[in-house]
Amino acid sequence: MPDYTRTHLQQLEAEAIYVLREVAAQFERPVLLFSGGKDSILLVHLARRAFWPGRIPFPLLHIDTGHNFPETLAFRDRLVRQMDVELLVRYVQDSIDRGRVVEERGPTASRNALQTVTLLDALIELRADAAIGGARRDEEKARAKERFFSHRDRFGQWDPKNQRPELWNLYNGRKTPGEHFRVFPLSNWTELDIWQYIQAQGIELPSLYFAHRRDVFSRDGVLLAVSPYLSLLPGEKAENRLVRFRTIGDMTCTGATESAATTVAEVIAELIASRISERGTRADDKRSEAAMEERKRQGYF
């Protein structure tokens, strides 16, 4: 029975903490997938609240494409020191060097999809039976099909038609050897909820989330940051604009949005007025209508 004396954000917080504690209770070797984005940062803060005054009882796992924003990596390392939590990093470049994946070529080449193999290899290496992620149902239609405890078979693949019922906040973490679960404590949060909670708790974020001047160029309707990982095509022109990022990922596919919002309050006001979805700035989601679902079936985040 919901506690209607709680605020909306308190309800969401209590639900996420309950899910995190269920993970600690049901699984032997969970990891928390960490991208350096606001959702994974929020998960770390919620995990700290869930297990305080003890340490967070599982490591952070970052799959590094090698094409990260420098600001993301600097923030990640600072957060790990402040939180006194274990950080594990696995590199897409290592997967390329071992011949596990083949680097994409061409003007739209990205390592974003290559992360799947690196992630699945890491979960096998670490014998992880649960991977906690910051995905939310409002982000994208494929992610709306996920449960809190989302089963993956022994190949790491996801079948959206074969998920377990979750009634009365009961989560079934039973599995056979080789299988694992993806767990999404933020399933019922929206982008606006995330920012309002960040404001209420005074949580620090990477500077990329706030307006700053950066050299960008437009490709297929997406503003991409000028970087060593992308070459300008004929007709494309770099411009210095005032932008911020709504999501943070691989520099080759993470789009910026023009914005003057320099504070959390200004970002919230901007989101309330926006009619563009958060992942509308992701170039990798524009490859096909079912791009995200195809990647998720193969084991993507």
Side-chain angles (χ1 to χ4, degrees), residues 241-297:
R241 298 193 191 182
L242 189 64
V243 299
R244 71 177 191 87
F245 293 86
R246 289 175 68 180
T247 67
I248 293 179
D250 192 299
M251 291 186 74
T252 62
C253 60
T254 302
T257 181
E258 292 194 88
S259 170
T262 59
T263 67
V264 174
E266 290 173 347
V267 169
I268 290 172
E270 186 176 87
L271 288 178
I272 292 172
S274 177
R275 293 295 178 267
I276 300 175
S277 69
E278 182 179 12
R279 292 195 67 90
T281 59
R282 292 295 293 260
D284 52 327
D285 287 350
K286 298 180 182 295
R287 292 191 174 195
S288 75
E289 283 293 320
M292 174 62 79
E293 182 157 339
E294 290 168 3
R295 293 200 302 270
K296 285 180 69 64
R297 286 178 183 271

Short mmCIF file of all heavy atoms in Angstrom, two decimals, residues 241-297:
data_model
loop_
_atom_site.label_atom_id
_atom_site.label_comp_id
_atom_site.label_asym_id
_atom_site.label_seq_id
_atom_site.Cartn_x
_atom_site.Cartn_y
_atom_site.Cartn_z
N ARG A 241 29.22 27.13 -30.41
CA ARG A 241 27.87 27.45 -29.94
C ARG A 241 27.76 27.22 -28.45
O ARG A 241 28.56 26.51 -27.84
CB ARG A 241 26.83 26.60 -30.67
CG ARG A 241 26.75 26.79 -32.16
CD ARG A 241 25.49 26.15 -32.70
NE ARG A 241 25.47 26.06 -34.15
CZ ARG A 241 24.44 25.57 -34.85
NH1 ARG A 241 23.37 25.11 -34.23
NH2 ARG A 241 24.49 25.52 -36.17
N LEU A 242 26.72 27.81 -27.87
CA LEU A 242 26.39 27.61 -26.46
C LEU A 242 25.47 26.40 -26.38
O LEU A 242 24.32 26.45 -26.85
CB LEU A 242 25.71 28.86 -25.90
CG LEU A 242 25.48 28.90 -24.38
CD1 LEU A 242 26.81 28.89 -23.64
CD2 LEU A 242 24.67 30.14 -24.00
N VAL A 243 25.97 25.30 -25.83
CA VAL A 243 25.22 24.04 -25.84
C VAL A 243 25.35 23.35 -24.47
O VAL A 243 26.18 23.70 -23.64
CB VAL A 243 25.75 23.08 -26.92
CG1 VAL A 243 25.61 23.68 -28.31
CG2 VAL A 243 27.21 22.68 -26.64
N ARG A 244 24.51 22.34 -24.28
CA ARG A 244 24.66 21.41 -23.18
C ARG A 244 24.23 20.03 -23.68
O ARG A 244 23.66 19.90 -24.78
CB ARG A 244 23.83 21.82 -21.96
CG ARG A 244 22.33 21.65 -22.09
CD ARG A 244 21.62 22.02 -20.80
NE ARG A 244 20.21 21.61 -20.83
CZ ARG A 244 19.78 20.41 -20.46
NH1 ARG A 244 20.64 19.50 -20.02
NH2 ARG A 244 18.51 20.10 -20.53
N PHE A 245 24.48 19.00 -22.89
CA PHE A 245 24.14 17.63 -23.28
C PHE A 245 23.07 17.09 -22.32
O PHE A 245 23.19 17.24 -21.11
CB PHE A 245 25.37 16.73 -23.25
CG PHE A 245 26.39 17.08 -24.30
CD1 PHE A 245 27.36 18.06 -24.06
CD2 PHE A 245 26.38 16.46 -25.54
CE1 PHE A 245 28.28 18.39 -25.02
CE2 PHE A 245 27.30 16.79 -26.51
CZ PHE A 245 28.25 17.76 -26.25
N ARG A 246 22.06 16.45 -22.89
CA ARG A 246 21.01 15.83 -22.06
C ARG A 246 21.38 14.40 -21.69
O ARG A 246 20.91 13.88 -20.68
CB ARG A 246 19.66 15.87 -22.79
CG ARG A 246 19.08 17.26 -22.89
CD ARG A 246 17.81 17.30 -23.72
NE ARG A 246 16.70 16.62 -23.08
CZ ARG A 246 15.48 16.53 -23.62
NH1 ARG A 246 15.24 17.09 -24.80
NH2 ARG A 246 14.51 15.91 -23.00
N THR A 247 22.16 13.74 -22.53
CA THR A 247 22.71 12.43 -22.21
C THR A 247 24.22 12.50 -22.43
O THR A 247 24.70 13.38 -23.15
CB THR A 247 22.12 11.32 -23.10
OG1 THR A 247 22.56 11.54 -24.46
CG2 THR A 247 20.60 11.32 -23.06
N ILE A 248 24.93 11.56 -21.81
CA ILE A 248 26.39 11.54 -21.96
C ILE A 248 26.80 10.13 -22.35
O ILE A 248 26.47 9.16 -21.66
CB ILE A 248 27.10 11.95 -20.67
CG1 ILE A 248 26.83 13.43 -20.36
CG2 ILE A 248 28.60 11.73 -20.80
CD1 ILE A 248 27.47 13.92 -19.08
N GLY A 249 27.49 10.02 -23.47
CA GLY A 249 27.95 8.72 -23.92
C GLY A 249 29.16 8.88 -24.81
O GLY A 249 29.99 9.77 -24.61
N ASP A 250 29.25 8.03 -25.81
CA ASP A 250 30.33 8.08 -26.79
C ASP A 250 30.26 9.40 -27.56
O ASP A 250 29.19 9.81 -28.04
CB ASP A 250 30.17 6.89 -27.75
CG ASP A 250 31.38 6.67 -28.62
OD1 ASP A 250 31.72 7.59 -29.39
OD2 ASP A 250 31.98 5.58 -28.55
N MET A 251 31.39 10.07 -27.72
CA MET A 251 31.40 11.38 -28.38
C MET A 251 30.96 11.30 -29.84
O MET A 251 30.54 12.31 -30.41
CB MET A 251 32.80 11.99 -28.31
CG MET A 251 33.24 12.42 -26.94
SD MET A 251 34.82 13.30 -26.94
CE MET A 251 34.35 14.89 -27.60
N THR A 252 31.04 10.10 -30.44
CA THR A 252 30.71 9.98 -31.86
C THR A 252 29.21 9.96 -32.11
O THR A 252 28.79 10.07 -33.26
CB THR A 252 31.32 8.69 -32.44
OG1 THR A 252 30.76 7.56 -31.76
CG2 THR A 252 32.82 8.68 -32.30
N CYS A 253 28.41 9.78 -31.07
CA CYS A 253 26.97 9.69 -31.31
C CYS A 253 26.13 10.46 -30.30
O CYS A 253 24.89 10.45 -30.40
CB CYS A 253 26.52 8.22 -31.32
SG CYS A 253 26.85 7.34 -29.79
N THR A 254 26.75 11.15 -29.35
CA THR A 254 26.01 11.90 -28.34
C THR A 254 25.82 13.33 -28.82
O THR A 254 26.80 14.07 -28.97
CB THR A 254 26.76 11.88 -27.00
OG1 THR A 254 26.95 10.53 -26.59
CG2 THR A 254 25.95 12.60 -25.93
N GLY A 255 24.58 13.70 -29.05
CA GLY A 255 24.28 15.02 -29.58
C GLY A 255 24.07 16.06 -28.50
O GLY A 255 23.64 15.76 -27.39
N ALA A 256 24.41 17.30 -28.83
CA ALA A 256 24.20 18.43 -27.93
C ALA A 256 22.91 19.13 -28.29
O ALA A 256 22.34 18.92 -29.36
CB ALA A 256 25.37 19.40 -28.04
N THR A 257 22.45 19.96 -27.39
CA THR A 257 21.29 20.80 -27.66
C THR A 257 21.65 22.24 -27.31
O THR A 257 22.36 22.48 -26.32
CB THR A 257 20.06 20.34 -26.85
OG1 THR A 257 18.94 21.16 -27.15
CG2 THR A 257 20.32 20.40 -25.35
N GLU A 258 21.23 23.17 -28.13
CA GLU A 258 21.52 24.58 -27.84
C GLU A 258 20.75 24.98 -26.59
O GLU A 258 19.55 24.72 -26.46
CB GLU A 258 21.15 25.45 -29.03
CG GLU A 258 22.05 25.21 -30.24
CD GLU A 258 21.92 26.29 -31.29
OE1 GLU A 258 22.65 27.30 -31.22
OE2 GLU A 258 21.08 26.12 -32.19
N SER A 259 21.45 25.62 -25.66
CA SER A 259 20.84 25.93 -24.38
C SER A 259 21.64 27.01 -23.67
O SER A 259 22.85 27.12 -23.86
CB SER A 259 20.80 24.67 -23.50
OG SER A 259 20.42 24.98 -22.17
N ALA A 260 20.95 27.79 -22.84
CA ALA A 260 21.60 28.78 -22.00
C ALA A 260 21.46 28.40 -20.53
O ALA A 260 21.76 29.20 -19.65
CB ALA A 260 20.99 30.16 -22.24
N ALA A 261 21.00 27.16 -20.25
CA ALA A 261 20.74 26.72 -18.87
C ALA A 261 22.06 26.39 -18.17
O ALA A 261 22.74 25.44 -18.55
CB ALA A 261 19.83 25.50 -18.88
N THR A 262 22.40 27.15 -17.15
CA THR A 262 23.66 26.95 -16.43
C THR A 262 23.45 26.44 -15.01
O THR A 262 24.42 26.17 -14.31
CB THR A 262 24.46 28.26 -16.36
OG1 THR A 262 23.66 29.27 -15.71
CG2 THR A 262 24.84 28.75 -17.76
N THR A 263 22.21 26.30 -14.57
CA THR A 263 21.91 25.80 -13.24
C THR A 263 20.88 24.68 -13.34
O THR A 263 20.20 24.53 -14.37
CB THR A 263 21.34 26.91 -12.33
OG1 THR A 263 20.05 27.31 -12.82
CG2 THR A 263 22.27 28.11 -12.29
N VAL A 264 20.76 23.90 -12.27
CA VAL A 264 19.76 22.82 -12.26
C VAL A 264 18.36 23.39 -12.43
O VAL A 264 17.54 22.83 -13.17
CB VAL A 264 19.88 22.00 -10.95
CG1 VAL A 264 18.75 20.98 -10.86
CG2 VAL A 264 21.23 21.31 -10.87
N ALA A 265 18.06 24.50 -11.76
CA ALA A 265 16.73 25.11 -11.86
C ALA A 265 16.43 25.51 -13.30
O ALA A 265 15.31 25.33 -13.79
CB ALA A 265 16.64 26.31 -10.93
N GLU A 266 17.42 26.05 -14.00
CA GLU A 266 17.22 26.46 -15.39
C GLU A 266 17.05 25.24 -16.30
O GLU A 266 16.25 25.28 -17.25
CB GLU A 266 18.39 27.32 -15.86
CG GLU A 266 18.42 28.70 -15.20
CD GLU A 266 19.68 29.48 -15.53
OE1 GLU A 266 20.65 28.89 -16.06
OE2 GLU A 266 19.70 30.69 -15.24
N VAL A 267 17.76 24.15 -16.02
CA VAL A 267 17.57 22.92 -16.79
C VAL A 267 16.15 22.39 -16.60
O VAL A 267 15.49 21.99 -17.57
CB VAL A 267 18.61 21.86 -16.37
CG1 VAL A 267 18.26 20.51 -16.99
CG2 VAL A 267 20.01 22.29 -16.81
N ILE A 268 15.66 22.39 -15.37
CA ILE A 268 14.30 21.91 -15.09
C ILE A 268 13.27 22.75 -15.85
O ILE A 268 12.35 22.21 -16.47
CB ILE A 268 14.03 21.94 -13.58
CG1 ILE A 268 14.86 20.85 -12.88
CG2 ILE A 268 12.55 21.74 -13.28
CD1 ILE A 268 14.81 20.90 -11.36
N ALA A 269 13.43 24.06 -15.83
CA ALA A 269 12.50 24.93 -16.56
C ALA A 269 12.55 24.64 -18.05
O ALA A 269 11.52 24.63 -18.74
CB ALA A 269 12.85 26.40 -16.28
N GLU A 270 13.74 24.37 -18.57
CA GLU A 270 13.90 24.06 -19.99
C GLU A 270 13.23 22.73 -20.33
O GLU A 270 12.56 22.61 -21.37
CB GLU A 270 15.39 24.00 -20.30
CG GLU A 270 15.75 23.83 -21.76
CD GLU A 270 17.25 23.87 -21.96
OE1 GLU A 270 17.90 22.81 -21.86
OE2 GLU A 270 17.78 24.97 -22.21
N LEU A 271 13.37 21.73 -19.46
CA LEU A 271 12.76 20.42 -19.71
C LEU A 271 11.24 20.50 -19.72
O LEU A 271 10.58 19.85 -20.53
CB LEU A 271 13.20 19.42 -18.64
CG LEU A 271 14.65 18.93 -18.71
CD1 LEU A 271 14.92 17.98 -17.54
CD2 LEU A 271 14.91 18.23 -20.03
N ILE A 272 10.69 21.28 -18.82
CA ILE A 272 9.23 21.42 -18.75
C ILE A 272 8.67 21.97 -20.06
O ILE A 272 7.59 21.57 -20.51
CB ILE A 272 8.83 22.31 -17.55
CG1 ILE A 272 9.16 21.58 -16.24
CG2 ILE A 272 7.37 22.69 -17.61
CD1 ILE A 272 8.98 22.44 -15.00
N ALA A 273 9.43 22.85 -20.68
CA ALA A 273 8.98 23.46 -21.94
C ALA A 273 9.34 22.65 -23.17
O ALA A 273 8.82 22.90 -24.26
CB ALA A 273 9.56 24.87 -22.06
N SER A 274 10.20 21.65 -23.02
CA SER A 274 10.71 20.92 -24.18
C SER A 274 9.68 19.93 -24.72
O SER A 274 8.90 19.34 -23.97
CB SER A 274 11.98 20.16 -23.80
OG SER A 274 12.44 19.38 -24.88
N ARG A 275 9.71 19.73 -26.04
CA ARG A 275 8.87 18.73 -26.70
C ARG A 275 9.72 17.69 -27.43
O ARG A 275 9.19 16.92 -28.22
CB ARG A 275 7.91 19.42 -27.70
CG ARG A 275 6.87 20.31 -27.03
CD ARG A 275 5.92 19.51 -26.17
NE ARG A 275 4.94 20.33 -25.50
CZ ARG A 275 5.08 20.84 -24.27
NH1 ARG A 275 6.20 20.59 -23.60
NH2 ARG A 275 4.15 21.57 -23.73
N ILE A 276 11.00 17.68 -27.14
CA ILE A 276 11.94 16.73 -27.76
C ILE A 276 12.37 15.73 -26.70
O ILE A 276 12.73 16.11 -25.58
CB ILE A 276 13.17 17.45 -28.34
CG1 ILE A 276 12.74 18.45 -29.41
CG2 ILE A 276 14.15 16.45 -28.93
CD1 ILE A 276 13.87 19.29 -29.94
N SER A 277 12.32 14.45 -27.03
CA SER A 277 12.69 13.43 -26.06
C SER A 277 14.18 13.48 -25.76
O SER A 277 14.98 13.98 -26.56
CB SER A 277 12.32 12.03 -26.56
OG SER A 277 13.14 11.67 -27.65
N GLU A 278 14.55 12.94 -24.62
CA GLU A 278 15.95 12.94 -24.20
C GLU A 278 16.85 12.26 -25.22
O GLU A 278 17.92 12.75 -25.56
CB GLU A 278 16.06 12.23 -22.84
CG GLU A 278 17.44 12.19 -22.26
CD GLU A 278 17.45 11.50 -20.90
OE1 GLU A 278 16.44 10.87 -20.55
OE2 GLU A 278 18.48 11.57 -20.22
N ARG A 279 16.42 11.11 -25.75
CA ARG A 279 17.25 10.37 -26.70
C ARG A 279 17.07 10.87 -28.12
O ARG A 279 17.64 10.31 -29.06
CB ARG A 279 16.96 8.87 -26.60
CG ARG A 279 17.44 8.28 -25.27
CD ARG A 279 17.49 6.77 -25.33
NE ARG A 279 18.50 6.27 -26.24
CZ ARG A 279 19.75 5.99 -25.89
NH1 ARG A 279 20.15 6.18 -24.64
NH2 ARG A 279 20.59 5.51 -26.77
N GLY A 280 16.32 11.94 -28.29
CA GLY A 280 16.22 12.56 -29.60
C GLY A 280 17.52 13.18 -30.06
O GLY A 280 17.67 13.55 -31.23
N THR A 281 18.47 13.33 -29.12
CA THR A 281 19.78 13.89 -29.47
C THR A 281 20.83 12.82 -29.68
O THR A 281 22.01 13.14 -29.84
CB THR A 281 20.26 14.83 -28.34
OG1 THR A 281 20.34 14.10 -27.11
CG2 THR A 281 19.30 15.99 -28.16
N ARG A 282 20.44 11.54 -29.71
CA ARG A 282 21.40 10.45 -29.88
C ARG A 282 21.42 9.99 -31.33
O ARG A 282 20.43 9.48 -31.86
CB ARG A 282 21.05 9.27 -28.96
CG ARG A 282 21.23 9.55 -27.49
CD ARG A 282 22.69 9.82 -27.14
NE ARG A 282 23.50 8.62 -27.31
CZ ARG A 282 23.87 7.86 -26.30
NH1 ARG A 282 23.53 8.14 -25.06
NH2 ARG A 282 24.61 6.78 -26.52
N ALA A 283 22.56 10.15 -31.99
CA ALA A 283 22.67 9.79 -33.40
C ALA A 283 22.54 8.28 -33.60
O ALA A 283 22.04 7.83 -34.64
CB ALA A 283 24.02 10.27 -33.95
N ASP A 284 22.97 7.48 -32.62
CA ASP A 284 22.91 6.03 -32.78
C ASP A 284 21.49 5.50 -32.82
O ASP A 284 21.21 4.46 -33.39
CB ASP A 284 23.72 5.32 -31.69
CG ASP A 284 23.35 5.76 -30.29
OD1 ASP A 284 22.98 6.94 -30.12
OD2 ASP A 284 23.44 4.93 -29.36
N ASP A 285 20.55 6.22 -32.20
CA ASP A 285 19.15 5.79 -32.21
C ASP A 285 18.47 6.08 -33.54
O ASP A 285 17.36 5.62 -33.80
CB ASP A 285 18.37 6.48 -31.10
CG ASP A 285 18.71 5.93 -29.72
OD1 ASP A 285 19.41 4.90 -29.67
OD2 ASP A 285 18.29 6.52 -28.72
N LYS A 286 19.12 6.85 -34.41
CA LYS A 286 18.53 7.21 -35.69
C LYS A 286 18.91 6.23 -36.80
O LYS A 286 18.51 6.40 -37.95
CB LYS A 286 18.96 8.63 -36.08
CG LYS A 286 18.49 9.69 -35.09
CD LYS A 286 18.94 11.08 -35.51
CE LYS A 286 18.52 12.13 -34.50
NZ LYS A 286 17.06 12.27 -34.41
N ARG A 287 19.67 5.19 -36.47
CA ARG A 287 20.10 4.24 -37.50
C ARG A 287 18.93 3.44 -38.04
O ARG A 287 18.93 3.05 -39.20
CB ARG A 287 21.17 3.31 -36.93
CG ARG A 287 22.47 4.02 -36.61
CD ARG A 287 23.59 3.06 -36.30
NE ARG A 287 24.87 3.75 -36.14
CZ ARG A 287 26.04 3.15 -36.15
NH1 ARG A 287 26.11 1.83 -36.30
NH2 ARG A 287 27.15 3.85 -36.00
N SER A 288 17.97 3.12 -37.19
CA SER A 288 16.77 2.43 -37.65
C SER A 288 15.66 2.67 -36.65
O SER A 288 15.91 3.13 -35.53
CB SER A 288 17.02 0.92 -37.80
OG SER A 288 17.08 0.29 -36.54
N GLU A 289 14.42 2.34 -37.01
CA GLU A 289 13.28 2.54 -36.12
C GLU A 289 13.41 1.69 -34.88
O GLU A 289 12.93 2.04 -33.81
CB GLU A 289 11.97 2.20 -36.86
CG GLU A 289 11.50 3.26 -37.84
CD GLU A 289 11.08 4.54 -37.14
OE1 GLU A 289 10.45 4.46 -36.08
OE2 GLU A 289 11.40 5.63 -37.65
N ALA A 290 14.04 0.53 -35.01
CA ALA A 290 14.15 -0.40 -33.88
C ALA A 290 15.59 -0.56 -33.41
O ALA A 290 15.98 -1.60 -32.91
CB ALA A 290 13.57 -1.76 -34.26
N ALA A 291 16.39 0.51 -33.56
CA ALA A 291 17.82 0.42 -33.26
C ALA A 291 18.06 -0.03 -31.82
O ALA A 291 18.87 -0.93 -31.57
CB ALA A 291 18.49 1.77 -33.52
N MET A 292 17.38 0.59 -30.87
CA MET A 292 17.62 0.26 -29.47
C MET A 292 17.17 -1.17 -29.16
O MET A 292 17.90 -1.92 -28.48
CB MET A 292 16.88 1.24 -28.55
CG MET A 292 16.95 0.88 -27.07
SD MET A 292 18.63 0.88 -26.41
CE MET A 292 18.87 2.64 -26.18
N GLU A 293 16.00 -1.57 -29.64
CA GLU A 293 15.53 -2.92 -29.33
C GLU A 293 16.44 -3.98 -29.92
O GLU A 293 16.71 -5.01 -29.29
CB GLU A 293 14.09 -3.12 -29.84
CG GLU A 293 13.53 -4.49 -29.49
CD GLU A 293 12.03 -4.54 -29.47
OE1 GLU A 293 11.38 -3.48 -29.34
OE2 GLU A 293 11.49 -5.66 -29.59
N GLU A 294 16.95 -3.75 -31.12
CA GLU A 294 17.87 -4.72 -31.73
C GLU A 294 19.13 -4.86 -30.88
O GLU A 294 19.62 -5.97 -30.66
CB GLU A 294 18.24 -4.24 -33.15
CG GLU A 294 17.07 -4.34 -34.14
CD GLU A 294 17.36 -3.61 -35.43
OE1 GLU A 294 18.48 -3.07 -35.57
OE2 GLU A 294 16.48 -3.57 -36.30
N ARG A 295 19.67 -3.73 -30.38
CA ARG A 295 20.86 -3.80 -29.56
C ARG A 295 20.58 -4.47 -28.22
O ARG A 295 21.40 -5.22 -27.70
CB ARG A 295 21.44 -2.39 -29.36
CG ARG A 295 21.98 -1.77 -30.63
CD ARG A 295 22.93 -0.64 -30.32
NE ARG A 295 22.34 0.41 -29.52
CZ ARG A 295 21.70 1.47 -30.02
NH1 ARG A 295 21.54 1.58 -31.32
NH2 ARG A 295 21.21 2.39 -29.23
N LYS A 296 19.42 -4.17 -27.64
CA LYS A 296 19.09 -4.75 -26.34
C LYS A 296 18.92 -6.27 -26.44
O LYS A 296 19.28 -7.00 -25.53
CB LYS A 296 17.82 -4.10 -25.78
CG LYS A 296 18.03 -2.71 -25.24
CD LYS A 296 16.76 -2.11 -24.70
CE LYS A 296 16.34 -2.83 -23.43
NZ LYS A 296 17.32 -2.67 -22.34
N ARG A 297 18.34 -6.74 -27.53
CA ARG A 297 18.18 -8.19 -27.71
C ARG A 297 19.54 -8.89 -27.73
O ARG A 297 19.66 -10.06 -27.36
CB ARG A 297 17.42 -8.49 -29.00
CG ARG A 297 15.92 -8.19 -28.93
CD ARG A 297 15.28 -8.47 -30.27
NE ARG A 297 13.87 -8.15 -30.29
CZ ARG A 297 12.91 -9.01 -29.95
NH1 ARG A 297 13.22 -10.23 -29.57
NH2 ARG A 297 11.63 -8.66 -30.00
#
